[in-house]
Amino acid sequence: MGARVGQEARCGSQGRSAPRSGAGARPGGKRQSCTLRSGSDPEAEGLPGRLGVSAQWGGPGQKRRRWHPGPSWGLGGRETIPAVIFAKNSDRPRDEVQEVVFVPAGSHTPGSRLQCTYIEVEQVSKTHAVILSRPSWLWGAEMGANEHGVCIGNEAVWTKEPVGEGEALLGMDLLRLALERSSSAQEALHVITGLLERYGQGGSCLEDPAPFSYHNTFLLADRTEAWVLETAGRLWAAQRIQEGARNISNQLSIGTDISVQHPELRTHAQAKGWWDGQGAFDFAQVFSLTQQPVRMEAAKARFRAGQELLQQWQGGITAEVMMGILRDKESGICMDSGGFRTTASMVSVLPQDPTQPCVHFLTATPDPSRSVFKPFIFGVGVAQAPQVLSPTFGAQDPVRTLPRFQTRVDRRHTLYRGHQAALGLMESDQDRGQQLQQKQQDLEQEGLKATQGLLASEWAPSLQELGSLFQAFVKRESQAYA
């Protein structure tokens, strides 16, 4: 998959220094995580941090320090606003363009077919509105959210179960299908596992003639809970998260604490000789490769770093902290290594109160340490921001012509081009580069303050204003680069 879903960052009230979330803070690698706390207790009241409990956004006057980027979930709010925070970095090929696409809700003809990246599936009668961050050559998405406050991110994983050579649904296709068809994290899990059973997963996950395939793990969240879903072919295991913190990173992580599983999971493992049927069944231990490739060792290090950051910020996780974690290059959470890097990032705040809007921050550009997290909120005025939409090539697209990927096309969108020019300036002209980074930081802080005021009932915009919020910030960022 190349995406680590949910890395988190803290913000520092209660005597803590908050990680700096603005662009230009220290970079990080890709992973997913979530923090949860159930119930209400004196220690939980007023504290940012775990899923389902009161959370705080960093307010005025808080101290700041250089941020540590990384992906995760948690709670955040200046007031005691119970909310879930979801975060993810998408680690993909260095020159791959990621676009942010808004797809409105729709009604569809019974029995109609839907073209995904490689194969068609049966369409459903109604689909939900979604916001997607996706590699611009494919149909699915690396991460995204829907109008009901469901967020999903996926990660690549390799197991003892062989990766099929044929084309089927990509993990990124499964992610988008689940967002379009579910109104809760648990329902999204059922959508993915049902499609997995019917259509399978497979096909190249890179825009390259040399095939590169993998299976997938998913982090799914809504306003009240989260699920980790890990797959091996058509088989799978899932874990429900209702308290504490959780992250994933390119490896199986569900052990004996399995909430629900494929009905043939254990019998298949026995038949293959991977499990003797005695004692506790540890999914990760049974299905993980005996000899891990080098890339999996790096994933282990990122996974441990994510756990440590989540633990370090326990009780203090906010959206701004999550952004800081996603920017952490030291840990590898923000990837910048060889042919791969973090090509886009996302942080979402999902209030438990259904009358409050969910807020989704997306970069649409690579390297979150030098990008702007811009707020998106579903509303009546939502429309596609043209500056973050890549050009299309119809039937002549290399992904559509057979054999696939024999040629390359320029998929850069307007914001991507401006951002790349800005990165070049940052590296070639220190003074002007610092000025640009300051503009990025100021713009991001403006978005954070606006959404903090919204969730604290200090700002009451119209639905039209909410719907056009992302477009306005994208336009201003584009102007800054121009």
Side-chain angles (χ1 to χ4, degrees):
M1 142 196 84
R4 297 179 190 106
V5 189
Q7 291 181 334
E8 54 184 329
R10 302 181 177 192
C11 112
S13 58
Q14 302 167 29
R16 296 188 184 184
S17 295
R20 182 177 184 176
S21 74
R26 212 174 68 212
K30 146 178 132 173
R31 140 188 18 240
Q32 299 173 315
S33 64
C34 72
T35 45
L36 313 170
R37 174 178 284 172
S38 57
S40 175
D41 60 80
E43 295 182 358
E45 291 303 319
L47 292 179
R50 303 203 188 111
L51 178 73
V53 205
S54 60
Q56 296 179 345
W57 291 71
Q62 291 184 341
K63 296 180 181 178
R64 292 187 179 178
R65 62 178 173 80
R66 208 159 175 73
W67 47 266
H68 297 274
S72 66
W73 306 41
L75 300 179
R78 180 168 52 189
E79 302 296 333
T80 57
I81 302 171
V84 175
I85 297 178
F86 166 92
K88 169 183 164 66
N89 273 350
S90 175
D91 299 343
R92 301 284 303 172
R94 178 171 294 276
D95 60 350
E96 185 178 78
V97 178
Q98 197 148 149
E99 60 183 353
V100 172
V101 180
F102 169 70
V103 184
S107 299
H108 309 282
T109 305
S112 61
R113 306 289 292 176
L114 172 66
Q115 177 66 52
C116 300
T117 301
Y118 297 124
I119 69 168
E120 288 186 349
V121 300
E122 186 176 348
Q123 181 61 288
V124 295
S125 60
K126 292 185 180 298
T127 52
H128 306 306
V130 297
I131 187 73
L132 307 170
S133 185
R134 71 179 190 186
S136 56
W137 62 270
L138 52 78
W139 182 84
E142 273 275 297
M143 52 202 172
N146 70 18
E147 60 185 309
H148 298 290
V150 179
C151 295
I152 310 177
N154 82 315
E155 297 277 342
V157 69
W158 292 266
T159 71
K160 291 177 181 176
E161 195 66 18
V163 176
E165 296 182 0
E167 292 182 343
L169 289 173
L170 296 179
M172 292 172 279
D173 293 338
L174 291 166
L175 185 154
R176 176 174 173 176
L177 288 164
L179 288 174
E180 290 185 343
R181 301 178 180 196
S182 63
S183 56
S184 70
Q186 187 172 25
E187 186 178 6
L189 184 148
H190 293 318
V191 169
I192 292 174
T193 55
L195 292 166
L196 195 60
E197 183 69 26
R198 182 171 180 181
Y199 297 102
Q201 58 180 321
S204 183
C205 302
L206 298 185
E207 188 181 12
D208 192 275
F212 180 72
S213 303
Y214 47 74
H215 293 155
N216 294 267
T217 65
F218 302 88
L219 189 57
L220 312 93
D222 59 27
R223 293 175 182 267
T224 60
E225 67 177 8
W227 286 81
V228 173
L229 170 62
E230 299 184 337
T231 72
R234 280 183 163 85
L235 303 174
W236 53 271
Q239 182 184 50
R240 188 180 188 185
I241 312 299
Q242 294 179 289
E243 62 180 5
R246 192 66 162 87
N247 65 299
I248 64 175
S249 183
N250 298 116
Q251 62 179 349
L252 297 181
S253 61
I254 298 176
T256 58
D257 188 9
I258 300 173
S259 303
V260 61
Q261 64 190 20
H262 189 284
E264 299 175 8
L265 183 68
R266 301 189 187 207
T267 55
H268 180 82
Q270 274 190 279
K272 289 289 188 178
W274 301 336
W275 182 55
D276 61 8
Q278 303 298 314
F281 179 81
D282 186 309
F283 175 67
Q285 186 177 64
V286 170
F287 276 85
S288 292
L289 292 167
T290 304
Q291 292 188 332
Q292 300 281 359
V294 175
R295 62 177 175 266
M296 299 303 287
E297 294 304 317
K300 289 180 182 178
R302 288 193 302 270
F303 181 73
R304 288 192 298 269
Q307 286 182 314
E308 291 169 2
L309 285 167
L310 287 168
Q311 181 60 36
Q312 173 190 345
W313 287 108
Q314 181 176 323
I317 296 170
T318 68
E320 194 170 6
V321 170
M322 293 293 215
M323 293 174 187
I325 292 177
L326 292 178
R327 288 168 163 145
D328 195 338
K329 285 185 176 174
E330 269 185 25
S331 66
I333 289 172
C334 177
M335 182 175 285
D336 190 1
S337 175
F340 284 75
R341 68 172 170 178
T342 297
T343 56
S345 304
M346 171 179 167
V347 173
S348 295
V349 180
L350 315 175
Q352 280 192 313
D353 183 350
T355 66
Q356 289 188 316
C358 296
V359 183
H360 312 283
F361 296 90
L362 303 106
T363 63
T365 54
D367 189 354
S369 69
R370 296 183 293 177
S371 289
V372 179
F373 283 90
K374 298 167 283 293
F376 174 93
I377 298 175
F378 286 95
V380 294
V382 176
Q384 176 66 49
Q387 299 93 334
V388 293
L389 190 64
S390 293
T392 57
F393 301 90
Q396 303 307 310
D397 195 303
V399 72
R400 291 278 161 253
T401 57
L402 298 178
R404 303 190 198 277
F405 308 125
Q406 300 303 300
T407 59
R408 298 299 297 267
V409 293
D410 187 353
R411 301 187 188 276
R412 294 176 297 170
H413 51 69
T414 302
L415 184 64
Y416 185 97
R417 289 174 181 271
H419 182 263
Q420 291 302 100
L423 292 187
L425 189 61
M426 290 176 192
E427 293 167 0
S428 64
D429 187 327
Q430 184 176 2
D431 290 339
R432 293 182 65 191
Q434 287 179 346
Q435 292 174 7
L436 263 181
Q437 286 190 311
Q438 188 61 54
K439 288 182 179 180
Q440 288 181 325
Q441 293 171 19
D442 291 345
L443 186 61
E444 182 173 286
Q445 284 299 312
E446 186 177 336
L448 281 166
K449 289 179 181 178
T451 52
Q452 289 168 7
L454 173 67
L455 296 180
S457 300
E458 297 171 357
W459 177 44
S462 67
L463 291 177
Q464 189 74 28
E465 287 177 301
L466 288 180
S468 61
L469 193 62
F470 182 72
Q471 289 175 283
F473 275 87
V474 168
K475 182 178 180 180
R476 291 177 59 192
E477 184 182 1
S478 296
Q479 292 171 340
Y481 300 147

